[in-house]
Amino acid sequence: MDILLNAANAALLLAHDIRRDAEIGLLLLGPPTPPRFVRLVGFRLKSYQPDVRSNASLIRRALVDASRVEHETSPGVYGSIAPFQEALDRLGPTFVSLKGGGKDIRQAALPADATFVLSDNQELLADEEGYLTDRGALAIGLGPVALHTDHAIAIVHNELDRRET
């Protein structure tokens, strides 16, 4: 859960605010009851803090009594049961897959309003890669060294912020 909480903070937090134009989907595939999908929507969040322990309680609440129908458990926090393919469908339609060996982000033309897909400390499975390929995902790399998920998100935000100014 720590990896997901750090990723959410990297995706949503600024120094003194929340990225209102950002949304993150967290797909939990481990025990006890996979697949659970939690979506955090920046412009709707009310009680999101830099403290991961506070945010853990928001995520846990979204995991309780989850169903296939997405429901809002706190402003901007949605929980449901959804496998990888359905999670992509809820976030898409334009995807960028962050992975080693992809085209360097500094030279890549990035689509507007893209969903960036990355994994935790495990590579995506072959069928998950296939779902991304089927959706025309652009493969992008962040450099020659493998990074933690939250660091990769921070670098992507930095790159996008630089392109906007």
Side-chain angles (χ1 to χ4, degrees):
M1 175 87 83
D2 288 344
I3 292 172
L4 295 176
L5 291 166
N6 289 332
N9 278 3
L12 294 167
L13 295 178
L14 294 166
H16 302 288
D17 200 3
I18 292 175
R19 286 184 181 273
R20 304 286 173 195
D21 63 343
E23 179 177 328
I24 183 167
L26 306 171
L27 184 60
L28 292 85
L29 297 174
T33 54
R36 295 298 178 95
F37 184 60
V38 178
R39 194 167 58 90
L40 299 124
V41 180
F43 78 92
R44 296 234 347 108
L45 288 171
K46 297 286 185 240
S47 58
Y48 198 81
Q49 304 294 322
D51 172 40
V52 292
R53 286 179 31 183
S54 300
N55 298 337
S57 66
L58 292 174
I59 303 294
R60 271 191 225 99
R61 201 172 321 142
L63 296 173
V64 174
D65 298 327
S67 71
R68 301 233 8 134
V69 177
E70 187 175 67
H71 62 283
E72 190 172 28
T73 58
S74 179
V77 182
Y78 301 84
S80 64
I81 296 171
F84 186 80
Q85 188 172 2
E86 286 180 31
L88 291 178
D89 291 340
R90 293 181 189 177
L91 295 169
T94 308
F95 297 97
V96 174
S97 178
L98 294 178
K99 58 200 290 181
K103 184 173 184 173
D104 190 305
I105 194 167
R106 292 178 181 171
Q107 280 76 49
L110 298 173
D113 199 24
T115 297
F116 290 82
V117 179
L118 57 159
S119 186
D120 54 11
N121 58 341
Q122 312 240 340
E123 296 292 325
L124 293 176
L125 300 175
D127 61 333
E128 295 167 342
E129 289 283 355
Y131 295 141
L132 287 170
T133 301
D134 292 347
R135 287 166 173 75
L138 179 64
I140 296 293
L142 298 179
V145 179
L147 301 170
H148 285 261
T149 303
D150 54 330
H151 300 164
I153 293 168
I155 288 172
V156 168
H157 269 308
N158 180 264
E159 183 66 27
L160 295 173
D161 291 345
R162 288 173 178 273
R163 291 178 184 203
E164 285 182 13
T165 58

